[in-house]
């Protein structure tokens, strides 16, 4: 059902064969990992599916499909599979999946198309070959409808994936005081790569589509295998709190607080205890301080602590802790005995774990850079 012309002959078959080998090898390599989570299984299935899709394309591209007519048509619904798999992978990677089985509904369009094509699948081999050699034959209108459905699916799942990554990035600030180690770059690369492939789909350029697929699977395989996950914080704080991946999921504040019956008096008491911890023990100096660990120190539920900070300080946990660190930096930077230290060393002493994080947060709260702040006070720090 796809038109192919002589320009395909100029494309080296070895390029696509390489992509197929990488896809299957990566799939098996991920399954060979010792500690696998659901996102690993999904990624492995996705790579395997891409490998199958590339094989079916290569058969058509090379003209070898005439020897395997029983495989014709199997590739048609596959574009409707990639978007849902990517979406489910991101949901599990960011622990935002709520139901194990509801995700299967996303594959309903692809399954439906397979049922619609059932008559084509059981057609005699010579009929199927004729359809492919004649631009779709009687299936031209159906092909156009499926093409539109593919485009809608691509746009929808790229948009949904971006939405959930944005949601995750926004809500992790309610849990962590340092987000530098939460690496979302891999996920963005993944979504952008798929988006580029869908642009090629919209342009209806088959060579461009599958060339991009080969590049995509090569890059995705590297990151998918080497990235252990998004959350890379040390475990000593959270091991007693986090028992499995599901506990890493982040509930929206509105949902959490609806379940809470904390009074203003209780929140004020929690806030005073929190302030005491900040002043007496300076727990904000721990660069990997989390909401769960802080709540454990106060012997309260994390939701109560989060609600308290949001209500009284009008800040999330990330902003609250980093404001404490900024104030600590301002305090120690003016001490005469600290003139021999650099700006960065004092930033680390205050609880920051990177220059980027320190500079960004300092400008956010003080509206000037750390260097400008010190220069205004005639402090000779470097």
């Amino acid at each position: 059902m796809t038109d192919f012309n002589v320009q395909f002959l100029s494309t080296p078959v070895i390029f696509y064969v390489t992509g197929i080998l990488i896809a299957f090898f990566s799939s098996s390599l991920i399954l060979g990992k010792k500690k696998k989570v659901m996102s690993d299984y999904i990624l492995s299935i996705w790579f395997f599916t891409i490998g199958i899709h590339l094989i079916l394309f290569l058969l058509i591209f090379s003209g070898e499909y005439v020897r395997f007519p029983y495989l014709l048509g199997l590739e048609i619904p596959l574009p409707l599979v990639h978007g849902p798999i990517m979406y489910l992978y991101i949901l599990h990677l960011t622990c935002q999946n709520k139901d194990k089985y509801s995700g299967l509904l996303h594959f309903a369009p692809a399954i439906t198309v397979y049922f619609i094509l059932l008559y084509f699948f059981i057609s005699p081999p010579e009929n199927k070959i004729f359809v492919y050699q004649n631009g779709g034959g009687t299936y031209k209108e159906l092909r156009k409808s499926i093409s539109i459905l593919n485009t809608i699916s691509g746009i929808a799942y790229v948009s949904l994936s971006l939405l959930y990554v944005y949601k995750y990035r926004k809500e992790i600030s309610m849990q962590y005081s340092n987000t530098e180690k939460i690496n979302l770059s891999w996920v963005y690369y993944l979504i952008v790569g798929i988006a580029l492939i869908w642009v090629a789909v919209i342009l209806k350029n088959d060579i461009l589509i599958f060339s991009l697929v080969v590049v995509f699977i090569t890059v995705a395989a590297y990151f998918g295998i080497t990235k252990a996950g998004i959350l890379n914080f040390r475990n000593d704080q959270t091991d007693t709190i986090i028992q499995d991946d599901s506990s890493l999921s982040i509930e929206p504040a509105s949902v959490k607080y609806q379940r809470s019956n904390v009074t203003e008096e209780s929140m004020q008491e929690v806030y005073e205890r929190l302030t005491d911890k900040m002043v007496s023990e300076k727990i904000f100096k721990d660069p990997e301080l989390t909401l769960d660990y802080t709540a454990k120190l106060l012997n309260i539920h994390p939701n109560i602590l989060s609600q308290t900070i949001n209500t009284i300080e009008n800040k999330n946990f990330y902003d609250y802790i980093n404001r404490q660190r900024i104030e600590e930096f301002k305090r120690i930077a003016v001490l005469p005995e600290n003139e021999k230290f650099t700006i960065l060393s004092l930033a680390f002493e205050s609880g920051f774990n990177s220059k980027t994080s320190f500079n960004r947060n300092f400008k956010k709260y003080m509206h000037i850079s750390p260097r400008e702040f010190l220069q205004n006070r005639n402090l000779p720090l470097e």
Side-chain angles (χ1 to χ4, degrees):
M1 294 187 184
T2 304
D3 292 321
F4 294 93
N5 53 47
V6 293
Q7 65 172 319
F8 286 5
L9 299 176
S10 63
T11 304
V13 173
I14 189 64
F15 181 65
Y16 299 111
V17 173
T18 301
I20 293 169
L21 294 176
I22 291 175
F24 288 136
F25 178 72
S26 302
S27 177
S28 61
L29 207 58
I30 292 173
L31 287 179
K33 291 172 62 175
K34 291 184 178 180
K35 295 182 179 180
K36 294 183 291 294
V37 293
M38 181 56 68
S39 59
D40 291 320
Y41 289 107
I42 294 174
L43 189 63
S44 178
I45 292 172
W46 191 14
F47 285 172
F48 185 83
T49 303
I50 291 175
I52 295 296
H53 202 166
L54 282 171
I55 287 177
L56 295 174
F57 164 76
L58 184 58
L59 288 176
I60 299 173
F61 152 74
S62 63
E64 291 296 313
Y65 66 91
V66 295
R67 297 174 54 190
F68 306 94
Y70 51 87
L71 295 177
L72 291 177
L74 294 178
E75 81 286 354
I76 295 172
L78 286 181
L80 296 172
V81 171
H82 299 303
I85 292 182
M86 176 184 69
Y87 172 69
L88 292 178
Y89 174 69
I90 289 174
L91 283 187
H92 282 271
L93 193 66
T94 58
C95 301
Q96 297 182 78
N97 54 298
K98 301 299 181 183
D99 191 325
K100 292 182 179 179
Y101 302 105
S102 63
L104 298 177
L105 294 175
H106 293 277
F107 298 98
I111 295 173
T112 301
V113 173
Y114 274 116
F115 274 110
I116 292 174
L117 292 173
L118 189 59
Y119 179 77
F120 174 80
F121 292 140
I122 63 177
S123 298
E126 57 273 15
N127 290 358
K128 297 167 74 173
I129 294 173
F130 176 82
V131 168
Y132 269 72
Q133 291 178 337
N134 291 273
T138 57
Y139 292 89
K140 283 184 179 180
E141 293 303 317
L142 178 59
R143 183 181 65 179
K144 291 179 181 178
S145 299
I146 295 175
S147 178
I148 294 173
L149 184 59
N150 288 342
T151 301
I152 294 174
S153 175
I155 294 174
Y157 282 104
V158 166
S159 301
L160 275 174
S161 298
L162 285 172
L163 176 64
Y164 274 88
V165 173
Y166 171 77
K167 176 185 175 183
Y168 180 75
R169 179 180 285 277
K170 183 178 179 180
E171 293 183 350
I172 55 176
S173 60
M174 298 176 64
Q175 298 285 336
Y176 300 100
S177 66
N178 161 38
T179 60
E180 297 297 310
K181 292 184 179 180
I182 300 180
N183 184 8
L184 295 174
S185 298
W186 146 240
V187 184
Y188 283 120
Y189 295 152
L190 196 69
I191 298 173
V192 170
I194 286 294
L196 290 175
I197 292 173
W198 280 108
V199 170
V201 170
I202 293 173
L203 295 175
K204 298 182 179 180
N205 188 320
D206 292 294
I207 286 186
L208 179 60
I209 292 170
F210 286 94
S211 295
L212 286 174
V213 168
V214 172
V215 174
F216 171 79
I217 191 62
T218 303
V219 175
Y222 170 76
F223 283 104
I225 293 170
T226 58
K227 296 297 179 184
I230 289 180
L231 297 175
N232 294 313
F233 290 90
R234 76 164 187 257
N235 295 323
D236 58 346
Q237 286 184 347
T238 57
D239 278 348
T240 58
I241 302 169
I242 299 173
Q243 301 298 325
D244 53 44
D245 287 341
S246 61
S247 64
L248 287 172
S249 59
I250 299 172
E251 291 184 284
S254 59
V255 175
K256 292 190 299 183
Y257 299 160
Q258 285 173 3
R259 301 174 186 171
S260 174
N261 295 316
V262 183
T263 63
E264 291 186 10
E265 292 78 11
S266 297
M267 284 194 290
Q268 189 61 46
E269 189 268 336
V270 169
Y271 182 73
E272 290 175 0
R273 289 162 55 197
L274 174 65
T275 302
D276 180 67
K277 285 288 183 184
M278 295 298 160
V279 174
S280 62
E281 299 182 25
K282 298 186 184 295
I283 60 174
F284 57 80
K285 286 191 174 185
D286 182 348
E288 295 179 356
L289 186 67
T290 65
L291 178 73
D292 284 343
Y293 183 67
T294 305
K296 182 186 175 186
L297 292 177
L298 298 175
N299 197 28
I300 59 174
H301 195 279
N303 290 355
I304 296 176
L305 177 58
S306 179
Q307 183 178 359
T308 298
I309 295 174
N310 274 267
T311 302
I312 297 179
E313 285 281 342
N314 196 27
K315 294 182 178 70
N316 55 41
F317 181 75
Y318 175 88
D319 288 335
Y320 172 75
I321 295 299
N322 281 291
R323 184 56 193 257
Q324 303 298 316
R325 292 167 178 167
I326 294 297
E327 293 301 323
E328 176 68 6
F329 173 84
K330 290 165 57 180
R331 185 187 70 81
I332 64 178
V334 299
L335 298 177
E337 61 267 27
N338 288 332
E339 291 184 0
K340 58 184 177 181
F341 296 110
T342 65
I343 296 176
L344 189 57
S345 64
L346 293 181
F348 287 160
E349 174 64 23
S350 302
F352 291 99
N353 70 340
S354 74
K355 181 178 180 180
T356 301
S357 176
F358 169 61
N359 287 333
R360 182 177 64 249
N361 281 283
F362 196 94
K363 289 180 180 179
K364 178 179 180 179
Y365 297 118
M366 302 304 298
H367 307 294
I368 56 174
S369 69
R371 189 169 298 278
E372 290 171 332
F373 171 81
L374 296 174
Q375 287 176 345
N376 292 341
R377 285 157 179 76
N378 297 317
L379 295 173
L381 290 174
E382 295 297 331

